[in-house]
């Protein structure tokens, strides 16, 4: 390859085409990333942007800060619960929409819509549904006899945590539906026919055929959604603002509060970097899987 | 599912699930056309007793909604154009050219796609203040490339990998240069991919909230997401029907895109690993 002058010219052309991308990446991603690491070694007053070097002081502070550990715990709790619901409902809905039902494409669009709608819209609607006096949720549950008094959905614990988990599941389960539905369509019907002839019931066909076929796509979906749920800001910030007090405050919310509420950009960066370190294991695992898929598909 | 009764039962069940899932969105539309006083009925009415569009009229004439919408449109189009142009060139380079570091670069794109915004936002905020462009739509366009570019690049790359190598080779044999082959052969083939990538990028920009919250603090540059939320916060008593009307208006472009996009729905969104 190296000897051919044409190849060399092509390599130069290829590099020129990717150059704008690399430039933008360096300016808006690589530089800020390095800068965040650097900032976390300072204490910086946000309004004046003046600060002094404190070394690992911010990190030492965080290790001893109950608020940091509470936020980390909240983040994990939120991620695991909402992710579990997303997967269960997502797979169930995908199986359902895979069947022949009337107006199937309309049904699919309606199911997918929560995922595409802005988080702001989703939150406004849910805050109206959760309204303590005139909200439909309280009304329906009172009518069904599940509760005797209207509930405070977002302002008290554990309701606030349960509410954000539910809304998160509602907003993001369609992603699982999209992925699983696409995979379901590629499972050959012959597998099911053969199982039927062998006398397998509906349940055992699901466990022995569908689930193993879905395994790979589910692993990818779980990893991706875990990463995205872990870093979710909008939904939680807009629904509860991290409250009551810090009961639903996750790490991204703590970063925002430290930087723009408590005006300490250095410490906020330290929280952000710590958060990224926790996420890194998931990210590396995902990159490995994606890389393996890639090599297989090129073979 | 052999009997007709079983079929009907399953259809009923499925549609109940669909409607329950879509209920918040149906409720949003219903609330937006009810007169204000009807919201405070106990028990709540399902169908509006009286349909009114007064909230939409108020939204347009008495609130800065149209200004926010204009900002969002400019922001969405600018981000989409910048990102899709850069990403199309980049994806073409990643797929069709060989040079050292190409694989690493592709991996880095995927990695940046997973990065949390809150890590990048503090340095970006400092950068915008330092450049003196905080509080402008332009600063948001720059900030939005952080998530939109990796996304578009990854999506376009997978679209372009689906175009057979032979097409370009044939053009080269016929005497075209690589750039001519790119413009005349690859681009028309990649057009459906480019269109759906553009639409998805537009949706991402349209829905973004965090960067807009941090980087923009004036009504002049505020997009819909933070603008509508500020209407909620600043109101003395919350006018839910007005907010629901705003939500409906905000979702309109998505509904239009949705109608166009039926066929791409299962392919594009959240790509970057999930393969059909």
């Amino acid at each position: 390859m190296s000897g051919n002058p044409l190849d060399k010219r092509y390599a130069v052309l290829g590099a020129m085409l990717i150059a704008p991308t690399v430039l933008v990446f360096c300016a808006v991603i690589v530089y800020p990333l390095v800068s965040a690491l650097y900032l976390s070694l300072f204490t910086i007053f946000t309004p004046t942007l003046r600060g002094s070097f404190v070394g690992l002081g911010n990190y030492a502070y965080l290790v001893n800060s109950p608020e940091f550990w509470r936020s980390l715990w909240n983040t994990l709790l939120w991620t695991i619960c909402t992710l579990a619901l997303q997967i269960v409902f997502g797979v169930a809905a995908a199986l359902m929409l895979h069947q022949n039902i009337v107006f199937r494409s309309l049904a699919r669009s309606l199911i997918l819509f929560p995922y595409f709608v802005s988080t702001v819209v989703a939150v406004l609607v849910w805050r109206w549904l959760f309204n303590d006096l005139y909200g439909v949720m309280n009304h329906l549950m009172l009518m069904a006899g599940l509760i005797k008094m209207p509930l405070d959905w977002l302002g008290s614990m554990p309701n606030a945590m349960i509410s954000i988990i539910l809304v998160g599941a509602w907003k993001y389960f369609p992603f699982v539906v999209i992925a699983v539905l696409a995979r379901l369509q590629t499972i050959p019907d012959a597998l099911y026919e053969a199982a039927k002839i062998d006398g397998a019931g509906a349940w055992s066909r699901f466990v022995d055929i569908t689930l193993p076929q879905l395994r790979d796509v589910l692993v990818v979906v779980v990893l991706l959604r875990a990463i995205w749920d872990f870093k979710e800001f909008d939904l939680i910030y807009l629904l509860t603002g991290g409250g009551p007090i810090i009961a639903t405050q996750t790490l991204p919310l703590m970063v925002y509060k430290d930087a723009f509420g408590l005006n300490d950009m250095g410490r906020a960066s330290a929280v952000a970097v710590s958060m990224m370190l926790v996420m890194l294991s998931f990210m590396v695992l995902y990159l490995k899987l994606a890389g393996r898929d890639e090599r297989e598909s090129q073979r | 599912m052999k009997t007709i009764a079983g079929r009907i039962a399953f259809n009923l069940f499925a549609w109940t699930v669909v409607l329950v899932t879509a209920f918040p969105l149906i409720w949003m539309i219903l609330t937006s056309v009810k007169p204000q006083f009807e919201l405070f009925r106990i028990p709540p009415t399902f169908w509006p007793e009286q349909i009114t569009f007064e909230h939409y009229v108020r939204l347009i004439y008495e609130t800065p909604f149209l200004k926010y919408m204009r900002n969002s449109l400019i922001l969405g189009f600018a981000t989409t154009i910048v990102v899709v142009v850069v990403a199309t060139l980049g994806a073409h380079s990643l797929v069709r050219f060989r040079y050292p570091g190409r694989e690493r670069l592709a991996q880095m794109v995927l990695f940046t796609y997973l990065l949390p915004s809150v890590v990048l936002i503090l340095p970006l905020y400092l950068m915008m203040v330092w450049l003196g462009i905080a509080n402008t739509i332009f600063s948001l366009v720059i900030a939005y490339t952080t998530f939109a570019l990796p996304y578009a690049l990854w999506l376009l790359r997978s679209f372009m990998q689906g175009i057979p190598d032979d097409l370009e080779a044939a053009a080269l044999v016929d005497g075209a240069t690589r750039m001519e082959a790119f413009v005349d052969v690859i681009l028309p083939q990649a057009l459906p991919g480019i269109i759906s990538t553009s639409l998805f990028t537009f949706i991402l920009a349209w829905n973004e909230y965090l960067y807009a919250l941090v980087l923009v603090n004036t009504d002049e540059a505020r997009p819909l997401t933070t603008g509508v939320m500020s209407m909620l916060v600043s109101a003395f008593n919350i006018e839910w029907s007005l907010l629901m009307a705003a939500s409906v208006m905000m979702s309109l472009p998505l509904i239009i895109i949705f109608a166009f996009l039926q066929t791409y729905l299962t392919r594009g969104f959240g790509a970057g690993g999930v393969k059909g």
Side-chain angles (χ1 to χ4, degrees):
Chain A
M1 166 176 167
S2 54
N4 193 333
L6 195 60
D7 278 343
K8 220 169 229 167
R9 275 222 323 268
Y10 283 169
V12 171
L13 182 59
M16 271 167 60
L17 289 174
I18 195 84
T21 306
V22 173
L23 219 66
V24 174
F25 263 56
C26 288
V28 301
I29 296 173
V30 178
Y31 164 73
L33 203 58
V34 176
S35 183
L37 287 167
Y38 180 70
L39 285 176
S40 71
L41 305 177
F42 289 78
T43 167
I44 299 164
F45 186 56
T46 309
T48 60
L49 299 180
R50 290 176 189 284
S52 52
F53 184 77
V54 290
L56 293 174
N58 284 323
Y59 293 98
Y61 173 86
L62 288 183
V63 171
N64 293 311
S65 150
E67 187 185 353
F68 174 75
W69 293 109
R70 176 64 198 260
S71 302
L72 178 60
W73 163 247
N74 285 342
T75 316
L76 291 173
L77 186 66
W78 139 264
T79 304
I80 293 169
C81 292
T82 199
L83 178 61
L85 289 177
Q86 285 164 24
I87 297 293
V88 171
F89 285 119
V91 171
L95 288 171
M96 196 182 82
L97 291 175
H98 188 56
Q99 307 294 324
N100 257 323
I101 61 172
V102 284
F103 301 120
R104 185 162 70 169
S105 66
L106 179 65
R108 283 186 183 175
S109 300
L110 284 173
I111 287 270
L112 299 190
F113 208 65
Y115 188 68
F116 290 85
V117 99
S118 166
T119 308
V120 168
V121 170
V123 165
L124 283 174
V125 175
W126 278 98
R127 276 173 68 161
W128 169 230
L129 290 169
F130 282 151
N131 188 289
D132 41 4
L133 287 177
Y134 309 107
V136 178
M137 291 296 278
N138 272 332
H139 173 71
L140 287 177
M141 289 186 66
L142 281 170
M143 227 170 60
L146 290 170
I147 49 174
K148 293 217 163 53
M149 291 282 288
L151 283 182
D152 182 4
W153 289 88
L154 298 170
S156 67
M157 284 297 279
N159 302 7
M161 183 54 94
I162 296 172
S163 297
I164 59 170
I165 288 170
L166 286 178
V167 176
W170 175 81
K171 177 90 174 70
Y172 296 117
F173 89 97
F175 177 81
V176 184
V177 176
I178 298 174
V180 171
L181 208 49
R183 183 69 183 84
L184 280 177
Q185 282 158 359
T186 64
I187 302 178
D189 281 335
L191 285 179
Y192 293 103
E193 298 299 329
K196 257 187 201 167
I197 291 167
D198 290 345
W203 176 251
S204 66
R205 283 202 301 269
F206 172 70
V207 173
D208 293 331
I209 300 173
T210 314
L211 271 189
Q213 290 276 340
L214 289 181
R215 207 194 62 201
D216 285 352
V217 80
L218 281 179
V219 170
V220 171
V221 166
V222 166
L223 277 173
L224 263 183
R225 281 257 45 104
I227 291 167
W228 286 334
D229 290 337
F230 198 88
K231 67 178 189 179
E232 177 66 42
F233 174 85
D234 304 2
L235 191 125
I236 302 170
Y237 178 76
L238 291 170
L239 269 177
T240 67
I245 315 177
I246 58 162
T248 55
Q249 177 177 291
T250 57
L251 288 174
L253 271 76
M254 190 176 170
V255 175
Y256 180 77
K257 190 175 92 177
D258 278 0
F260 300 101
L262 305 177
N263 284 327
D264 189 342
M265 251 195 196
R267 193 193 297 162
S269 302
V271 177
V273 170
S274 315
M275 175 186 145
M276 213 175 65
L277 289 181
V278 179
M279 285 174 67
L280 216 53
S281 47
F282 285 95
M283 289 161 79
V284 169
L285 198 59
Y286 175 73
L287 288 178
K288 273 212 171 115
L289 274 176
R292 200 191 58 193
D293 278 1
E294 190 110 310
R295 256 165 276 129
E296 270 169 16
S297 66
Q298 274 170 5
R299 215 168 280 154
Chain B
M1 224 68 58
K2 276 161 221 138
T3 62
I4 291 179
R7 226 159 225 277
I8 291 172
F10 182 77
N11 268 293
L12 277 178
F13 167 75
W15 267 96
T16 311
V17 172
V18 171
L19 289 177
V20 167
T21 307
F23 176 76
L25 301 166
I26 298 167
W27 195 241
M28 162 178 94
I29 298 170
L30 289 175
T31 306
S32 76
V33 294
K34 281 180 187 171
Q36 182 79 14
F37 61 83
E38 209 183 312
L39 301 190
F40 305 121
R41 288 283 167 73
I42 295 174
T45 54
F46 182 75
W47 294 111
E49 286 167 2
Q50 189 186 337
I51 289 182
T52 169
F53 292 100
E54 58 178 345
H55 309 298
Y56 290 90
V57 175
R58 276 200 54 207
L59 194 66
I60 288 169
Y61 289 106
E62 291 171 31
T63 68
F65 186 84
L66 280 187
K67 196 187 280 173
Y68 299 148
M69 187 158 228
R70 189 205 61 185
N71 291 341
S72 267
L73 284 172
I74 297 175
L75 181 56
F77 281 116
T79 307
T80 307
I81 292 169
V82 171
V83 161
V84 170
V85 168
V86 173
T88 307
L89 296 178
H92 179 59
S93 169
L94 284 178
V95 174
R96 305 283 154 177
F97 289 86
R98 315 220 159 266
Y99 45 88
R102 195 187 59 140
E103 294 295 318
R104 278 263 160 273
L105 218 59
Q107 258 203 331
M108 217 187 84
V109 173
L110 191 53
F111 176 75
T112 52
Y113 180 46
L114 305 174
L115 276 180
S117 311
V118 285
V119 176
L120 302 176
I121 198 161
L122 304 175
L124 278 173
Y125 172 77
L126 295 180
M127 192 161 99
M128 301 306 173
V129 171
W130 183 68
L131 290 172
I133 54 169
N135 275 328
T136 59
I137 296 180
F138 181 56
S139 71
L140 286 182
V141 175
I142 297 176
Y144 286 8
T145 55
T146 57
F147 58 85
L149 185 59
Y151 171 75
L153 202 55
W154 198 254
L155 197 51
L156 276 171
R157 180 170 171 264
S158 66
F159 274 120
M160 286 190 169
Q161 277 170 339
I163 303 171
D165 281 331
D166 300 351
L167 282 177
E168 197 193 5
L172 293 181
V173 168
D174 288 346
T177 64
R178 296 263 337 227
M179 278 319 277
E180 283 167 358
F182 172 59
V183 175
D184 296 335
V185 178
I186 303 285
L187 273 187
Q189 286 286 322
L191 199 61
I194 292 174
I195 290 172
S196 61
T197 305
S198 308
L199 292 172
F200 286 124
T201 307
F202 185 86
I203 295 180
L204 282 184
W206 185 264
N207 287 345
E208 205 283 333
Y209 177 78
L210 177 58
Y211 283 116
L213 176 70
V214 170
L215 295 178
V216 166
N217 218 348
T218 67
D219 269 357
E220 289 313 309
R222 200 170 272 159
L224 274 173
T225 47
T226 48
V228 170
M229 277 325 279
S230 74
M231 280 164 59
L232 171 78
V233 176
S234 64
F236 174 64
N237 60 344
I238 301 174
E239 293 181 66
W240 283 110
S241 38
L242 188 70
L243 286 170
M244 290 302 108
S247 302
V248 172
M249 295 277 281
M250 228 177 124
S251 311
L252 271 184
L254 304 185
I255 296 172
I256 296 168
I257 292 178
F258 234 61
F260 278 116
L261 219 66
Q262 276 291 346
T263 42
Y264 298 113
L265 267 183
T266 45
R267 292 169 67 185
F269 221 67
V274 183
K275 293 200 187 141

